[in-house]
Amino acid sequence: METPLITGAFALLLITISLLQPLARRLGLAPSVLLAIVGTLIGISATYLFYTSHTNRFDDFAQIFADPPLDSEMILYMFLPLLLFQTTLTLDIRRILEDIVPILVMAVVAVFVATGFIGFALYPLTSYFLSLEDVLIVCLLLGAIVATTDPVAVVAIFRDIGAPARLGRIVEGESLLNDAAAIVIFVILLGILTKQQSLTPGEAVVAFGRSFVGGLVVGAVLARIAVSLLSLMRDLPLAQVTLSLALPYGTYVLSDQFVDVSAVVAVVCAGTIFNLYGLARIQPASWQFLHAVWEQLSFWAASLIFLLSAILIPKLVAGFAPIDILLLIVVIVASLAARAVVIFGLLPVMSLFGAGQSVSNKYKTVILWGGMRGAVTLILALSVSEHAILSEEVSGFVTKLATGFVLFTLLVYGTSLKPLIRLLGLDQLNARDEALRTQFLSLALLDVRSELETAAKSYHINERVTTNVLKGYENRAAAAASETNKLEELKDWDRVRMGLIALADREQQLVLEHFHEKTISGRAVSRFLTLTGRTGDLTRSDGRSGYNKATRQPLKFGFGFRLGQTLQRRLRITRPLANQLADRFEFLLIYRILADELVDFNDSRIRPLMGDRVADILLDTLSLRQDETIQAIDALRLQYPDYADSLEGQFLLKAGVRLEETAYDEAKGQMLIGTELHRDLLRDVERTRRTSHTRPKLDLGLKTGDLVSAHPLFKDLPRKQQKAIRRMMRPQFATPREKLIRRGDRGDAAYFIASGAVEVQAPTHSVRLGRGDVFGEIALMTGGRRSADVVALGYCQLLSLGAHDFKSLMEQHPDLREHVVALATNRQLMNTDKAEHEIEDPVVPQFTLDDPPEDQTSENDEGGNMDGDLDQSTSELPEGPETDTSTVEIEITEEIKVTETIKIAEDKELPDTHQDSDTAADEKTGNVTKKETASG
């Protein structure tokens, strides 16, 4: 074939693809349906022109379509990596990961169910009517080929009718992994059929797992390498796109030809990793450019692979016999039954166990009927027809039934899907949306009319013309206003839910605006987008409680933070914990800014639309969120004030850089400055931006030497003794509300507070301890169990000392021992109550004073005051020989009684609404006694 003819044929295909898009929109059909129809017609026409005896003028051109210069392997290698990679780029990966369990279960189970249903349903008839070798394997191979689904049409319709976003994600993610699982099964069955490998059922399962997991590993490794290279091309978007294009092709070839794992799984995993981490390495404008390029490439690839596959349909169905029609009906029924089992059987089970979203029967019906097959099925069938080892009977059986099934799904499912949607009433607005539409339309039309009137005056347009135009808007606004009573007829909770959904959607838009303005880093934007998406989903399903749950979740400490804490405590590795704290600082700062902007949005846009009552409820919800966020920020600021100031200054610097860049762009657009000057100014801006995007490093301040030398109990000791103590101590970082000691546990360590504050929660009262205090020593000294819970009030830096080291320290330093024993004596009196004596283990003193002094004098410990009531300085006991143990006990007992009275009174005054259980205790100070210490 001559190159000019092939180039001309390629151009003809591109023209066909471009013209079919508007035609599909006009006819209300999925583009894939038209591509299949037109491609089949092209194949039939080309075959006729090439083999007809009437003329040979078009033989050279017709041969390109009748016998394309591409085989199945070339088509797969050219187009499949592009399609898989682009699909992963468009997915909200973090939200997909939240539903990874139902997606994986549905993908893997659905493929096995479809393969089994179709294979075993065909086996009896095929054995009776056809003489094939390894009939069951051949039938299962056909089942694996037609198990792949094309969700494009279903997902597009879901978006049009406003289906739950999570439902669309599950369907799309399931289909993506469905293709990967089906291809792995296809390769294994094909190997068994061609005698290239002989596997038992158990070995086949192991081979499936090896191929699947191996693909995940290869894709993850290659993607991480590619992401690390992106930073070298930060200002070169064309180079970044080129690297992203090389990644799927390189991954596919390496996995398929060299590592022998699933190339499809590897490409999907590579795209997932690139989507997750690439955003942090690419500027916002470059990321948008990359997505635009990939969208165009994917459109070409999807259209061409479908069109080329459809052109081959006449060739694949050649020799279709009446028995094949019966077998095709069996395939259709078995496939529909297998899909129904998964959708109507598996989805409810997962919803019951909380692993999936509850889906209405109407949506299940749409998913069932939307199981169209596409290009992947046709390409796999074509690869079977081209396989040299397989017999013609096997090849013909597989290709005819697979191709016929694809045509059936496209022509029947594809053309009837939208009518089914209309029949089920899923294309209609619900009552809430209809009420909101009329209210919003009325307000919007009035705003447009006012702006048009102002514009007409500015442009000196004839008053008669202006009146005619404005009258149309007035009539439309009046008609909409006459129906606004629909909104008032809704219940309050419905209107509040609508307002909260609007807030969640607006927050997502604000995140994108900040990202485009480069005030939010790429490292943080994906997390915020995931959060806003989850907030919208929970609000739609659970209303106000769902919104509060979603907005409070990020204020808690997640798995990554706990892992960093464990590494610091167990292995003394502080970098992961420091990174987690720095990320939390940055997140909370932006989170607070977004909440402030939502308050303005509520007043300016939602209040006129929903009314004062709904807007006030939304304001209360946002105010609660603001208060909780500020509390979280203040807790961090108290421990690391300088770092908080640095982050806020960095945010302002980012905003200033953006304003400066905008000013230069506007000046160039108004022709005030030339191109060269504009470029020179932008170079300066870019240098400043790089500085503003370099986040300062956070020092946790957990160096044991510094903590020991600064601790009030050890700072006056000789350096040699401090060094000895330093070797015994382990630094420990505690988070707010973390329970450090549990009542009833055996004592294994004592804790010295270097900074921060903790609360000792005895059964009848609470005691707050601050910098310079010790806790956990009583159980070590008495040999009994812990007599109280100890909870961190804020971020704390502690020095922990194991039981053995604690005993050694007390023996080596008598003065320190006397001081700790005195503290323990007072603390034991504070923590003891009558009921406790009845359940505690017998106390066996482990440390005693060799020569107890006659007098007890109080020491005033140094108190590291965190925020007023968190760290209280030690109060002094009366000096003199008359101050004995009984006196201390009486004074403390009286103080406990007063404290309990205050606590009861305050609890009565405190409403239980708008208070999270893990934050209410932080705000109350009336149930806290001053710590009493007595020196030996």
Side-chain angles (χ1 to χ4, degrees):
M1 296 183 185
E2 297 181 2
T3 302
L5 288 177
I6 297 177
T7 305
F10 180 70
L12 180 62
L13 292 179
L14 291 180
I15 294 172
T16 303
I17 290 170
S18 62
L19 293 177
L20 286 179
Q21 302 304 310
L23 181 60
R25 183 171 57 185
R26 176 179 287 273
L27 297 177
L29 295 174
S32 56
V33 175
L34 278 184
L35 286 171
I37 295 173
V38 173
T40 304
L41 293 177
I42 292 175
I44 295 173
S45 303
T47 302
Y48 172 78
L49 290 175
F50 184 66
Y51 291 105
T52 184
S53 58
H54 297 294
T55 179
N56 57 2
R57 180 175 299 179
F58 304 104
D59 286 359
D60 292 339
F61 193 73
Q63 185 182 5
I64 298 175
F65 298 104
D67 187 17
L70 297 173
D71 57 19
S72 60
E73 187 178 51
M74 293 176 64
I75 294 175
L76 279 176
Y77 267 81
M78 288 174 60
F79 300 119
L80 191 57
L82 286 178
L83 293 175
L84 295 173
F85 194 81
Q86 194 273 339
T87 302
T88 58
L89 284 182
T90 59
L91 294 177
D92 188 348
I93 296 299
R94 294 184 186 272
R95 304 304 310 282
I96 289 288
L97 291 178
E98 293 177 3
D99 294 310
I100 194 63
V101 173
I103 288 174
L104 281 175
V105 171
M106 284 192 62
V108 177
V109 172
V111 169
F112 277 101
V113 170
T115 302
F117 267 54
I118 295 170
F120 286 103
L122 280 174
Y123 176 68
L125 286 176
T126 307
S127 301
Y128 183 79
F129 288 104
L130 301 176
S131 57
L132 300 176
E133 296 182 1
D134 300 320
V135 179
L136 181 58
I137 301 299
V138 173
C139 293
L140 291 174
L141 180 68
L142 175 62
I145 290 175
V146 300
T148 62
T149 57
D150 183 4
V152 175
V154 178
V155 173
I157 291 175
F158 278 175
R159 290 171 182 166
D160 290 341
I161 64 177
R166 190 182 182 195
L167 181 60
R169 287 194 302 272
I170 291 178
V171 171
E172 201 165 11
E174 177 261 336
S175 176
L176 189 65
L177 295 178
N178 176 290
D179 289 349
I183 292 175
V184 172
I185 296 176
F186 168 80
V187 171
I188 293 175
L189 292 174
L190 187 62
I192 296 174
L193 190 61
T194 57
K195 312 301 182 185
Q196 293 177 347
Q197 53 183 341
S198 179
L199 300 174
T200 64
E203 292 173 339
V205 173
V206 172
F208 175 86
R210 174 189 171 278
S211 181
F212 205 92
V213 175
L216 292 175
V217 173
V218 172
V221 171
L222 294 179
R224 290 296 294 178
I225 293 173
V227 168
S228 65
L229 294 175
L230 286 175
S231 57
L232 302 177
M233 317 166 189
R234 184 173 295 275
D235 302 325
L236 302 171
L238 295 176
Q240 292 168 343
V241 172
T242 305
L243 178 64
S244 69
L245 184 60
L247 176 59
Y249 282 115
T251 302
Y252 197 93
V253 172
L254 182 66
S255 303
D256 188 49
Q257 297 297 321
F258 299 98
V259 188
D260 193 24
V261 296
S262 173
V264 176
V265 174
V267 173
V268 170
C269 182
T272 301
I273 298 296
F274 191 88
N275 190 1
L276 272 175
Y277 300 104
L279 185 60
R281 304 295 183 95
I282 299 179
Q283 293 186 9
S286 300
W287 185 254
Q288 287 181 320
F289 175 71
L290 184 144
H291 268 268
V293 172
W294 269 101
E295 186 176 359
Q296 184 63 64
L297 290 174
S298 173
F299 171 73
W300 287 339
S303 301
L304 285 171
I305 193 174
F306 222 106
L307 198 56
L308 289 172
S309 303
I311 289 173
L312 296 172
I313 287 178
K315 176 182 176 182
L316 296 176
V317 298
F320 208 84
I323 185 61
D324 295 322
I325 298 177
L326 177 61
L327 294 176
L328 179 60
I329 293 174
V330 173
V331 173
I332 293 171
V333 174
S335 173
L336 202 62
R339 193 162 177 82
V341 167
V342 173
I343 294 172
F344 288 93
L346 190 59
L347 275 180
V349 172
M350 289 191 298
S351 300
L352 185 64
F353 288 98
Q357 186 180 27
S358 178
V359 181
S360 69
N361 288 330
K362 291 183 177 180
Y363 283 121
K364 290 178 185 175
T365 304
V366 173
I367 298 174
L368 173 65
W369 199 250
M372 293 182 289
R373 271 57 172 183
V376 174
T377 300
L378 290 175
I379 297 302
L380 293 179
L382 179 61
S383 67
V384 171
S385 69
E386 296 172 349
H387 206 289
I389 299 179
L390 296 177
S391 63
E392 291 186 4
E393 291 81 5
V394 171
S395 300
F397 170 79
V398 172
T399 54
K400 284 186 293 185
L401 292 183
T403 306
F405 184 65
V406 170
L407 284 176
F408 175 84
T409 60
L410 290 174
L411 298 179
V412 177
Y413 294 166
T415 56
S416 60
L417 190 57
K418 284 195 174 180
L420 177 64
I421 295 288
R422 289 193 292 269
L423 180 64
L424 296 175
L426 294 176
D427 60 336
Q428 303 295 322
L429 292 176
N430 56 40
R432 290 199 305 260
D433 291 339
E434 184 64 31
L436 182 62
R437 176 186 180 277
T438 57
Q439 180 76 7
F440 180 78
L441 184 61
S442 173
L443 294 175
L445 290 175
L446 290 176
D447 290 341
V448 171
R449 183 205 173 281
S450 177
E451 292 182 8
L452 277 179
E453 186 175 14
T454 302
K457 293 179 180 179
S458 302
Y459 298 136
H460 306 290
I461 296 177
N462 187 281
E463 186 176 352
R464 179 176 53 82
V465 175
T466 303
T467 303
N468 291 334
V469 173
L470 295 182
K471 188 174 181 180
Y473 282 96
E474 291 173 358
N475 293 336
R476 292 175 60 193
S482 64
E483 300 181 5
T484 54
N485 59 336
K486 293 181 179 180
L487 189 63
E488 298 175 357
E489 293 173 359
L490 293 177
K491 296 180 180 179
D492 284 346
W493 69 268
D494 267 331
R495 289 190 289 168
V496 169
R497 176 177 296 192
M498 292 167 62
L500 291 172
I501 292 173
L503 288 178
D505 294 341
R506 175 58 181 166
E507 186 169 8
Q508 189 167 44
Q509 186 179 11
L510 288 173
V511 169
L512 292 174
E513 289 176 2
H514 278 288
F515 178 59
H516 295 153
E517 293 174 359
K518 303 175 185 177
T519 51
I520 294 182
S521 65
R523 178 178 52 252
V525 68
S526 57
R527 181 183 179 188
F528 275 107
L529 291 177
T530 301
L531 170 62
T532 55
R534 186 191 303 117
T535 302
D537 288 348
L538 287 177
T539 304
R540 287 176 173 86
S541 60
D542 301 333
R544 190 180 183 188
S545 63
Y547 183 88
N548 287 332
K549 178 181 178 182
T551 54
R552 284 174 175 169
Q553 182 63 35
L555 299 179
K556 299 178 181 179
F557 298 99
F559 172 77
F561 195 95
R562 297 302 181 193
L563 178 61
Q565 220 176 354
T566 302
L567 291 175
Q568 184 273 320
R569 292 180 180 178
R570 303 289 184 185
L571 304 176
R572 301 194 182 189
I573 300 175
T574 60
R575 177 59 63 84
L577 181 59
N579 290 337
Q580 288 289 330
L581 269 178
D583 289 342
R584 183 173 175 81
F585 253 127
E586 183 179 2
F587 173 83
L588 291 175
L589 177 62
I590 304 298
Y591 202 50
R592 185 196 66 195
I593 292 171
L594 291 174
D596 295 340
E597 292 175 337
L598 288 178
V599 169
D600 295 336
F601 176 75
N602 179 54
D603 289 335
S604 61
R605 304 297 296 176
I606 295 182
R607 189 175 295 276
L609 186 62
M610 299 286 187
D612 290 337
R613 176 175 173 77
V614 173
D616 289 340
I617 295 175
L618 299 183
L619 181 60
D620 290 342
T621 304
L622 290 173
S623 298
L624 175 62
R625 170 179 164 180
Q626 285 178 310
D627 293 341
E628 293 173 344
T629 305
I630 291 173
Q631 287 177 11
I633 293 175
D634 288 344
L636 278 169
R637 184 185 293 278
L638 287 169
Q639 194 68 23
Y640 304 104
D642 294 337
Y643 189 79
D645 293 342
S646 298
L647 280 185
E648 290 182 341
Q650 188 181 54
F651 180 84
L652 282 179
L653 184 59
K654 290 178 183 178
V657 169
R658 180 58 180 169
L659 292 173
E660 187 177 354
E661 185 179 37
T662 302
Y664 298 153
D665 290 341
E666 290 179 353
K668 183 178 181 296
Q670 297 169 358
M671 300 301 177
L672 297 176
I673 60 176
T675 302
E676 291 298 325
L677 178 56
H678 179 256
R679 290 177 181 174
D680 182 71
L681 292 172
L682 289 185
R683 280 193 289 269
D684 293 338
V685 170
E686 189 59 34
R687 283 192 290 269
T688 307
R689 175 177 288 116
R690 290 177 182 174
T691 303
S692 66
H693 281 267
T694 302
R695 190 172 67 183
K697 291 184 179 180
L698 175 62
D699 182 9
L700 292 178
L702 292 178
K703 296 178 181 179
T704 309
D706 295 340
L707 294 177
V708 170
S709 60
H711 197 281
L713 290 179
F714 312 122
K715 67 177 183 179
D716 295 329
L717 295 177
R719 297 191 59 173
K720 185 176 181 180
Q721 293 183 8
Q722 287 185 4
K723 188 175 181 180
I725 294 173
R726 187 165 62 238
R727 285 195 292 266
M728 300 180 185
M729 296 288 189
R730 295 184 67 91
Q732 184 169 322
F733 185 84
T735 56
R737 311 309 306 164
E738 180 181 354
K739 185 168 286 190
L740 302 170
I741 285 179
R742 295 181 182 275
R743 184 171 182 260
D745 289 351
R746 289 287 184 183
D748 58 353
Y751 300 87
F752 298 79
I753 304 175
S755 68
V758 302
E759 185 174 66
V760 181
Q761 297 176 346
T764 58
H765 62 285
S766 297
V767 180
R768 287 191 175 183
L769 307 175
R771 179 174 176 267
D773 282 323
V774 186
F775 63 92
E777 79 286 0
I778 296 177
L780 300 184
M781 300 178 68
T782 63
R785 296 181 180 272
R786 304 288 195 187
S787 58
D789 292 333
V790 180
V791 178
L793 294 176
Y795 295 95
C796 300
Q797 294 171 337
L798 309 173
L799 289 167
S800 64
L801 193 62
H804 178 73
D805 291 333
F806 179 80
K807 182 177 180 180
S808 299
L809 182 64
M810 296 297 101
E811 290 175 351
Q812 295 172 11
H813 301 280
D815 294 340
L816 183 61
R817 181 186 64 183
E818 292 178 4
H819 182 77
V820 172
V821 168
L823 287 175
T825 302
N826 277 339
R827 193 80 43 71
Q828 195 170 21
L829 291 175
M830 294 178 185
N831 297 345
T832 302
D833 62 276
K834 183 177 180 180
E836 192 175 337
H837 281 298
E838 298 174 359
I839 64 172
E840 252 195 6
D841 292 347
V843 176
V844 180
Q846 303 294 318
F847 301 100
T848 58
L849 295 177
D850 295 334
D851 298 309
E854 296 180 359
D855 297 344
Q856 287 187 331
T857 57
S858 67
E859 283 187 5
N860 187 2
D861 292 337
E862 295 182 24
N865 195 343
M866 289 182 62
D867 63 348
D869 64 333
L870 290 184
D871 256 334
Q872 298 184 20
S873 59
T874 306
S875 60
E876 296 184 359
L877 294 176
E879 296 182 1
E882 67 277 11
T883 307
D884 55 13
T885 303
S886 60
T887 307
V888 175
E889 183 176 6
I890 293 171
E891 292 180 357
I892 294 175
T893 304
E894 291 297 323
E895 189 171 5
I896 291 172
K897 293 178 181 179
V898 175
T899 300
E900 291 176 341
T901 304
I902 296 174
K903 182 178 185 296
I904 293 172
E906 289 189 345
D907 286 345
K908 290 181 179 180
E909 297 173 1
L910 178 66
D912 57 2
T913 59
H914 305 318
Q915 274 296 341
D916 210 2
S917 59
D918 58 351
T919 59
D922 286 354
E923 300 177 12
K924 309 316 295 172
T925 58
N927 61 334
V928 178
T929 65
K930 292 185 178 181
K931 56 182 178 14
E932 302 289 341
T933 61
S935 66

